[in-house]
């Protein structure tokens, strides 16, 4: 019987499972309240244009202040997806990011680009097109300044439907980027058919530059691929001078990473955008 043989172990396992599901239930109810109560904030991470050595755009990264710290999006976006809370949350991000960008433009005298991450479920929502249209209209942002980031995994389960959605978004005038490029199912034949503007090379390939033989080859190949397909290329997760130098000599168009700037609140952006990166 279970009680005599390893019953203690079973109980331990069961307790920890209960604890986890209690923690999850609490996270879920907090998340629900946070979505209803507008308790989120957006951080922004600037992107450097290597041709001009100036920051030209930024990526919106959601933050949830909870207790003493910030809950990482890696910890609540999946839950927001499962519970469908991503729909109102994603709409909030789109509207807020566009509005913030126009507020920043007042401070710096020009409109920077804004990259906004979409999640899988948000991308499949039929209402997405209207949400994007509303965010554009109410903020007055020039649509071509907005770049929506999707991942390979989001498009591969129904490629035809995904292409339709991508085209409908492009018809609104916004740009599209493939985020974390190289980590999903990279089908080069599909890439040709996707109406995207930008590839964001995943930081996994940047980490071992300039010495890693494979990462060097992959990075050079993706830069060449992007050039051949007339796409922009952004290197994510640039943390060292050596990485930056490597990417510069290989003519990577744009870089983003802690070396250039960590994600921060909107208030930090004017000073960054008004200066060259040195
Ligand atoms: P992502 O879109 O690939 O964003 C890049 C992540 O790498 C961010 O983490 C950023 O803070 C981090 N990062 C940037 N530069 C460096 C670097 O030099 N070194 C290292 N180690 N990390 C760097 P974050 O903000 O925690 O976001 C994680 C992921 O959560 C994002 O990955 C994105 O997939 C998702 N996410 C963030 N905000 C949103 C959002 O508003 N909506 C949706 N759907 N997803 C979001
Ligand atoms: Mg991203
Ligand atoms: Mg990424
Ligand atoms: Mg990522």
């Amino acid at each position: 019987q279970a009680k005599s043989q390893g019953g203690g172990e079973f109980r331990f396992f069961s307790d920890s499972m209960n604890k986890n599901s209690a923690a999850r239930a609490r996270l879920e109810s907090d998340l629900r309240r946070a979505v209803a109560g507008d308790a989120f904030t957006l951080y922004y991470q600037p992107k450097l244009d290597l041709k001009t050595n100036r920051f030209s755009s930024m990526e919106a990264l959601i933050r949830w202040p909870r207790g003493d710290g910030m809950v990482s999006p890696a910890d609540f976006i999946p839950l927001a997806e499962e519970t469908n809370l991503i729909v109102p949350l994603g709409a909030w991000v789109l509207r807020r990011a566009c509005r913030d960008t126009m507020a920043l433009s007042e401070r710096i005298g020009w409109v920077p680009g804004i990259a906004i991450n979409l999640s899988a479920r948000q991308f499949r929502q039929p209402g997405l097109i209207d949400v994007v249209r509303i965010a554009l209209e109410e903020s007055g942002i020039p649509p071509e300044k907005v770049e929506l980031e999707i991942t390979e995994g989001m498009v591969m389960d129904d490629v035809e439907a995904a292409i339709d959605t991508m085209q409908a978004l492009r018809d609104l005038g916004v740009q599209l980027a493939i985020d974390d490029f190289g980590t999903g199912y990279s089908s080069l034949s599909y890439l040709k058919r996707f109406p995207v503007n930008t590839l964001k090379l995943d930081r996994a390939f940047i980490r071992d530059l300039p010495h890693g033989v494979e990462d060097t080859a992959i990075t050079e190949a993706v830069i060449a691929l992007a050039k051949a397909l007339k796409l922009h290329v952004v290197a994510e997760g640039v943390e060292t001078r050596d990485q930056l130098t490597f990417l510069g000599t290989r003519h990577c168009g744009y870089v983003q990473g802690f070396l250039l700037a960590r994600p921060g609140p909107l208030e930090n952006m004017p000073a960054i955008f008004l200066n060259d990166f040195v």
Side-chain angles (χ1 to χ4, degrees):
Q1 239 242 340
K3 197 169 195 290
S4 53
Q5 190 90 29
E9 206 179 320
F10 176 73
R11 197 165 58 224
F12 171 76
F13 182 55
S14 171
D15 282 352
S16 84
M17 269 182 39
N18 284 336
K19 215 174 118 200
N20 285 340
S21 63
R24 189 193 177 284
R26 187 151 40 84
L27 187 66
E28 184 179 331
S29 73
D30 284 4
L31 185 62
R32 211 168 277 286
R33 220 170 313 124
V35 171
D38 202 10
F40 296 88
T41 183
L42 292 181
Y43 270 13
Y44 293 96
Q45 186 179 34
K47 216 183 291 176
L48 187 73
D49 179 341
L50 281 180
K51 267 212 211 92
T52 60
N53 204 39
R54 301 213 108 191
F55 290 100
S56 56
S57 62
M58 60 185 184
E59 178 175 3
L61 295 162
I62 194 167
R63 294 291 180 269
W64 178 16
R66 182 170 180 249
D68 293 333
M70 296 277 190
V71 191
S72 158
D75 293 327
F76 69 87
I77 295 288
L79 183 62
E81 282 256 292
E82 270 174 57
T83 53
N84 232 6
L85 286 166
I86 195 66
V87 175
L89 188 57
W92 178 83
V93 170
L94 279 160
R95 300 172 71 180
R96 182 54 172 271
C98 292
R99 243 194 302 137
D100 280 358
T101 303
M102 293 313 285
L104 176 60
S105 78
E106 300 280 302
R107 299 279 306 277
I108 65 175
W110 53 280
V111 185
I114 177 73
I116 302 169
N117 292 283
L118 298 182
S119 77
R121 192 177 271 222
Q122 194 184 2
F123 183 71
R124 284 195 298 265
Q125 272 284 316
L128 174 66
I129 308 301
D130 283 332
V131 169
V132 173
R133 185 185 300 115
I134 288 165
L136 296 173
E137 283 171 3
E138 73 181 8
S139 66
I141 193 168
E144 69 276 10
K145 294 292 182 181
V146 176
E147 184 165 71
L148 303 179
E149 298 191 1
I150 60 177
T151 60
E152 293 156 87
M154 284 163 50
V155 300
M156 293 311 289
D157 49 65
D158 189 344
V159 173
E160 299 309 321
I163 291 174
D164 287 348
T165 302
M166 287 189 253
Q167 194 54 57
L169 290 168
R170 290 299 310 280
D171 290 345
L172 293 177
V174 303
Q175 316 243 6
L176 295 176
I178 300 187
D179 201 358
D180 305 336
F181 184 72
T183 61
Y185 322 72
S186 303
S187 166
L188 298 180
S189 62
Y190 284 132
L191 191 56
K192 199 175 76 173
R193 298 184 52 211
F194 292 160
V196 299
N197 308 87
T198 301
L199 302 180
K200 293 191 78 177
L201 186 56
D202 195 74
R203 106 169 156 253
F205 304 114
I206 306 305
R207 196 175 304 129
D208 292 335
L209 298 181
H211 303 296
V213 178
E214 292 90 354
D215 288 346
T216 301
I218 291 167
T219 299
E220 288 174 343
V222 172
I223 292 171
L225 175 71
K227 197 174 172 198
L229 295 176
K230 298 189 168 58
L231 303 175
H232 297 292
V233 61
V234 182
E236 302 192 293
V238 176
E239 295 182 351
T240 71
R241 281 277 166 187
D242 283 353
Q243 292 168 343
L244 182 65
T245 303
F246 176 91
L247 292 161
T249 58
R250 276 13 173 231
H251 305 293
C252 179
Y254 301 85
V255 288
Q256 204 181 357
F258 292 170
L259 176 70
L260 295 317
R262 287 190 175 255
L266 185 70
E267 305 89 82
N268 294 1
M269 295 304 118
I272 294 173
F273 278 90
L274 289 169
N275 290 294
D276 287 354
F277 176 70
V278 284

